[in-house]
Amino acid sequence: MSGPSRVAVQDRAAFLRRPEHRLLRVAALCGLLVLWEALTRVGWIPALFLPSPVGVLRELGEMAASGQLFVHVGASLRRLLLGFAAGGAAGVAVGVATGFFSRADAVGQPLIAATFPIPKIALLPLLILWLGIGEPSKVAVIALGVFFPMAINTYAGVRQADPLLVRAAVAFGAGRWSVIRKVIVPSALPMIFAGLKLGAGTALLLLVAAEMIAADSGIGFLVLHAGNIMDTTKLMVGIVCLSLLGVLSHWVLARVERLAVPWRHT
């Protein structure tokens, strides 16, 4: 490669590389907390409506020391992980099948288009009728919420696979399942991880809604119960826990994506 073309490639790579700005992220979060504390200390917002960050941290520490916090977080995590795993696995399987096989596409796409717009929480009473008021109905509604973004994103990723790579694999004697495993799925990984991130947010929303309707433990139950008795400090503890779960899920998925799709981050 000649000198000018090499410089052009390096300039393009430098332009596409996105700095992480870690200090700016921390500063933005700290600025929000400082503003929140200032608004409560000057008395512009009564503590009943918005408790201070210090008060929320104190309440969080007391709930953690008593074990009450871990009961609710543990129950929510169990439901979240089971629903996310079930919905994600089913979504990837259906997305790959409908994206690769024409008959599966002909059957699956109309069904997905017809059922995707239905609010998943509206199905919870029906799921309770089918599965009971226990854990299966809550896990099922979370799984349904995760399934659709996973199936749609995986389908899009499969359809975007380079046909030249598929033809090359077939020319070298690769069978259908070998092409799916070695060409189609790796090509679809960026879209699969986009679906996972969307599904994680949807799973948290449905988790809270399900726990508010039919549960006696969990973060959603904690938020609803605290709101009913006007204990806004405990309510904010639940909201902070949900926010931390969202940040943690995004961080974990981003790290796994870096390992699974390293060429996207070079």
Side-chain angles (χ1 to χ4, degrees), residues 84-95:
F84 188 78
V92 170
V94 170

Side-chain angles (χ1 to χ4, degrees), residues 43-68:
W44 289 355
I45 302 177
L48 176 64
F49 299 121
L50 184 65
S52 70
V54 173
V56 172
L57 286 176
R58 187 182 301 114
E59 180 68 26
L60 191 149
E62 292 175 359
M63 292 180 65
S66 67
Q68 181 184 4

Side-chain angles (χ1 to χ4, degrees), residues 78-101:
R78 183 174 61 254
R79 295 162 185 153
L80 192 65
L81 292 175
L82 287 174
F84 188 78
V92 170
V94 170
V96 170
T98 54
F100 190 78
F101 300 103

Side-chain angles (χ1 to χ4, degrees), residues 87 91 94 107-123 141-155 194-195 198-199 202-203 205-206:
V94 170
V107 174
Q109 283 303 309
L111 294 176
I112 291 175
T115 54
F116 174 60
I118 300 173
K120 307 308 172 287
I121 195 61
L123 298 175
V141 76
I142 295 169
L144 280 174
V146 175
F147 168 80
F148 286 97
M150 286 303 305
I152 293 169
N153 277 269
T154 302
Y155 174 85
L198 287 171
T202 304
L205 292 173
L206 290 170

Side-chain angles (χ1 to χ4, degrees), residues 2-110:
S2 61
S5 60
R6 185 183 297 111
V7 171
V9 170
Q10 292 174 348
D11 290 343
R12 182 174 181 275
F15 176 76
L16 294 175
R17 189 179 300 116
R18 292 173 61 87
E20 295 189 3
H21 298 298
R22 294 180 180 176
L23 289 177
L24 185 59
R25 296 179 187 218
V26 174
L29 182 58
C30 292
L32 176 63
L33 292 175
V34 169
L35 177 62
W36 179 7
E37 182 70 28
L39 289 174
T40 56
R41 282 192 178 274
V42 298
W44 289 355
I45 302 177
L48 176 64
F49 299 121
L50 184 65
S52 70
V54 173
V56 172
L57 286 176
R58 187 182 301 114
E59 180 68 26
L60 191 149
E62 292 175 359
M63 292 180 65
S66 67
Q68 181 184 4
L69 181 67
F70 298 114
V71 170
H72 293 299
V73 172
S76 292
L77 272 177
R78 183 174 61 254
R79 295 162 185 153
L80 192 65
L81 292 175
L82 287 174
F84 188 78
V92 170
V94 170
V96 170
T98 54
F100 190 78
F101 300 103
S102 59
R103 290 180 181 175
D105 188 16
V107 174
Q109 283 303 309

